[in-house]
């Protein structure tokens, strides 16, 4: 009887063992170690990428302000930035193979914080301590909030780990939650694209929503490709599966179209607005895609989910404050000096008066009044000469134009 009952007991205990195995990754210390490795790789990658982009920008600015005839790609600074950029992107790419998607995506706030700190360190203007703190108080507060949000994200991030084998990815790809999510995303994307292309609705939210929807698919495929490469390195070859190349093609295609829409947005709007709004929309869409495709929050308790959401909100607020405090570039408004142009009638020729615009100051030849422009760009002002004509009750003209003699 005992021998006959033992197989039954084993069959009854099998589902419990399977359930224990599925829940165990949430409590295993090794899974937390993988989370930490992935988070550190993502932070390192975003930090290095931010330094690289600032190096390349510094190379362009230095060449523009000097008489060096060399092109930017012939300078060591630009190539150093390019190598660092490749290293940073490799770090971010490899982080997806270790940690859940919903944990890695919000850590892109590190690049915004790093850019703000680099901008403050290498600032050329001289400020008094009080003026410096007043000018950059929002940046300091934003950096602090972004750091606090990042800490909460890493501490309370999802802890679900699954080997990115071809079989698992295919199973997730045909699951009904992801199919429903894809259907909704395709409908929303087509509607936004219709309003953007046909109705000329060039609103920043519409363009960045298109970028966010494409980016959510990009990060899903990036995690699949990076995870399959890691599993192949560990000994189980996955690169011969068709699903690997399907994910690779989708990753490249969505990344290219995402960059196209970003380039169009950068031509219409300020980079600070694109950074803050794009980060919020892209992170929200990517977390939703990760939770639907990879089931990142499956088995997580309510406390961890709420604290993770709080960390995201704090990071969003920090990025918003940092980008809001950036000094908006003032475009140079050219003016035409009529006196300097040959064969052009000016206000002194033959005694013909040319009436300038009556504004706060008489600026001649300017497109508009630029009192706030630097002194070197401010056009010359007209002299105002009051002169009495006729009886005392008659009104005097605001100015008079003197005729030049032939000798002059």
């Amino acid at each position: 009887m005992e021998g006959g009952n033992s197989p039954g007991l084993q069959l009854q205990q099998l589902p419990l063992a399977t359930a224990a195995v599925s829940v165990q990754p949430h409590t295993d210390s090794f899974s937390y170690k993988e989370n930490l490795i992935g988070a550190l790789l993502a932070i390192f990658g975003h930090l290095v990428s931010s330094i690289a982009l600032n190096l390349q920008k510094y190379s362009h600015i230095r060449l523009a302000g000097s008489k060096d005839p060399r092109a930017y790609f012939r300078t060591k600074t630009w190539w150093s930035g390019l190598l660092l950029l490749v290293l940073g992107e490799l770090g971010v790419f490899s982080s997806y193979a270790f940690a859940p998607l919903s944990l890695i995506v919000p850590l892109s706030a590190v690049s915004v914080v790093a850019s703000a700190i680099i901008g403050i360190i290498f600032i050329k203007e001289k400020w008094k301590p009080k003026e410096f703190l007043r000018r950059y108080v929002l940046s300091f507060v934003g950096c602090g909030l972004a750091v606090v949000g990042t800490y909460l994200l890493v501490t309370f991030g999802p802890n679900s780990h699954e080997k990115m084998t071809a079989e698992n990815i295919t199973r997730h790809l045909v699951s009904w939650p992801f199919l429903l999510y894809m259907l909704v995303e395709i409908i929303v994307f087509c509607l936004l694209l219709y309003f953007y292309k046909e109705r000329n609705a060039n609103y920043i939210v519409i363009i960045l929503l298109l970028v966010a929807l494409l980016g959510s698919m990009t990060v899903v495929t990036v995690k699949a490709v990076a995870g399959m490469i890691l599993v192949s390195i560990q000994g189980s070859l996955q690169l011969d599966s068709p699903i690997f190349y399907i994910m690779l093609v989708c990753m490249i295609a969505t990344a290219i179209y995402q960059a196209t829409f970003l380039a169009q947005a950068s031509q219409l709007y300020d980079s600070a607005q694109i950074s803050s709004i794009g980060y919020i929309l892209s992170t929200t869409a990517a977390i939703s895609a990760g939770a639907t495709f990879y089931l990142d929050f499956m088995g997580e308790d309510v406390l961890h989910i709420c604290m993770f959401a709080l960390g995201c909100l704090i990071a969003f607020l920090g990025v918003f404050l940092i980008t809001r405090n950036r000094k908006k570039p003032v475009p140079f408004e050219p003016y035409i000096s009529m006196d300097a142009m040959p064969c052009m009638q000016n206000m002194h020729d033959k005694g013909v008066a040319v009436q300038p615009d009556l504004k706060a100051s008489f600026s001649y030849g300017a497109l508009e009044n630029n009192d706030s422009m630097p002194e070197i760009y401010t056009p010359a002002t007209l002299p105002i000469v009051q002169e009495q004509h006729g009886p005392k009750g008659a009104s005097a003209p605001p100015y008079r134009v003197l005729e030049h003699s032939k000798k002059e």
Side-chain angles (χ1 to χ4, degrees):
M1 294 294 295
E2 293 178 358
N5 293 333
S6 58
L9 292 175
Q10 291 179 359
L11 291 176
Q12 293 176 358
Q13 293 175 357
L14 183 59
L16 296 176
T18 305
V21 171
S22 62
V23 176
Q24 187 176 358
H26 298 282
T27 58
D28 192 6
S29 60
F30 182 73
S31 61
Y32 287 104
K33 184 179 179 180
E34 286 186 333
N35 271 12
L36 183 60
I37 293 174
L40 291 177
L41 283 173
I43 292 173
F44 170 79
H46 288 301
L47 181 61
V48 173
S49 297
S50 179
I51 296 174
L53 292 175
N54 280 277
L55 272 178
Q56 290 185 330
K57 183 178 179 180
Y58 172 74
S59 175
H60 287 285
I61 293 176
R62 189 176 64 176
L63 285 176
S66 65
K67 298 181 180 180
D68 194 346
R70 293 182 301 169
Y72 65 91
F73 54 84
R74 295 183 180 274
T75 60
K76 295 180 180 179
T77 307
W78 188 87
W79 280 104
S80 300
L82 180 62
L83 293 177
L84 287 177
L85 183 62
V86 172
L87 179 62
E89 293 300 326
L90 285 176
V92 176
F93 178 79
S94 59
S95 66
Y96 285 96
F98 292 94
L101 175 63
S102 301
L103 173 61
I104 298 300
V105 172
L107 295 180
S108 58
V110 174
S111 62
V112 181
V113 176
S115 297
I117 295 175
I118 292 173
I120 294 175
I121 291 176
F122 291 98
I123 189 172
K124 299 300 182 181
E125 299 176 356
K126 295 182 179 180
W127 298 83
K128 295 180 180 180
K130 293 183 179 180
E131 295 178 353
F132 183 82
L133 291 176
R134 190 184 305 112
R135 174 69 177 82
Y136 292 100
V137 62
L138 287 180
S139 294
F140 293 144
V141 174
C143 290
L145 290 176
V147 170
V148 173
T150 302
Y151 173 77
L152 292 177
L153 290 173
V154 176
T155 305
F156 297 98
N159 199 34
S160 61
H161 293 272
E162 182 183 18
K163 285 190 175 181
M164 293 291 101
T165 60
E167 181 181 358
N168 291 336
I169 294 174
T170 306
R171 187 178 71 251
H172 288 306
L173 196 61
V174 298
S175 62
W176 69 265
F178 182 70
L179 292 177
L180 181 61
Y181 176 82
M182 280 297 300
L183 178 62
V184 174
E185 182 168 310
I186 290 174
I187 294 174
V188 174
F189 183 84
C190 292
L191 288 175
L192 292 174
L193 191 62
Y194 169 76
F195 283 107
Y196 176 60
K197 294 293 186 180
E198 300 297 331
R199 299 289 184 176
N200 294 325
N202 297 328
Y203 301 107
I204 186 172
V205 176
I206 292 180
I207 302 176
L208 294 182
L209 271 176
L210 292 170
V211 174
L213 294 177
L214 289 171
S216 64
M217 292 298 100
T218 302
V219 294
V220 166
T221 53
V222 165
K223 181 170 177 58
V225 172
M228 294 177 76
I229 292 175
L230 179 62
V231 173
S232 300
I233 294 174
Q234 292 175 348
S236 179
L237 184 62
Q238 304 293 322
L239 303 184
D240 56 349
S241 176
I243 193 65
F244 173 79
Y245 297 98
I246 292 175
M247 288 293 182
L248 182 63
V249 171
C250 291
M251 179 186 72
I252 296 174
T254 53
I256 292 175
Y257 283 106
Q258 184 182 358
T260 302
F261 284 113
L262 274 178
Q264 295 175 6
S266 63
Q267 295 176 358
L268 299 174
Y269 297 98
D270 184 58
S271 60
Q273 292 180 331
I274 297 174
S275 298
S276 58
I277 301 176
Y279 171 74
I280 295 172
L281 295 179
S282 298
T283 302
T284 304
I287 291 175
S288 302
T292 307
F293 188 87
Y294 294 108
L295 305 177
D296 287 342
F297 296 96
M298 183 67 67
E300 296 288 340
D301 55 4
V302 178
L303 177 62
H304 278 72
I305 295 176
C306 292
M307 293 302 294
F308 179 80
L310 179 62
C312 289
L313 292 176
I314 293 176
F316 290 166
L317 181 59
V319 171
F320 174 76
L321 291 179
I322 293 173
T323 54
R324 184 178 177 83
N325 195 46
R326 287 182 181 177
K327 183 185 294 184
K328 295 182 179 180
V330 179
F332 170 67
E333 298 177 351
Y335 64 92
I336 302 173
S337 179
M338 305 293 285
D339 294 333
M341 299 181 66
C343 302
M344 181 65 67
Q345 186 183 38
N346 57 45
M347 59 191 306
H348 299 301
D349 289 342
K350 299 180 181 179
V352 179
V354 179
Q355 177 67 38
D357 288 336
L358 183 60
K359 294 184 179 179
S361 64
F362 290 107
S363 57
Y364 181 64
L367 298 180
E368 60 178 310
N369 186 25
N370 294 324
D371 292 338
S372 59
M373 294 291 289
E375 186 177 357
I376 58 174
Y377 297 132
T378 304
T381 58
L382 291 175
I384 301 175
V385 180
Q386 298 290 341
E387 187 175 359
Q388 297 291 337
H389 292 277
K392 296 183 179 179
S395 60
Y399 63 91
R400 65 186 178 87
V401 180
L402 299 177
E403 295 186 4
H404 286 276
S405 63
K406 294 183 179 180
K407 294 181 180 180
E408 292 178 346

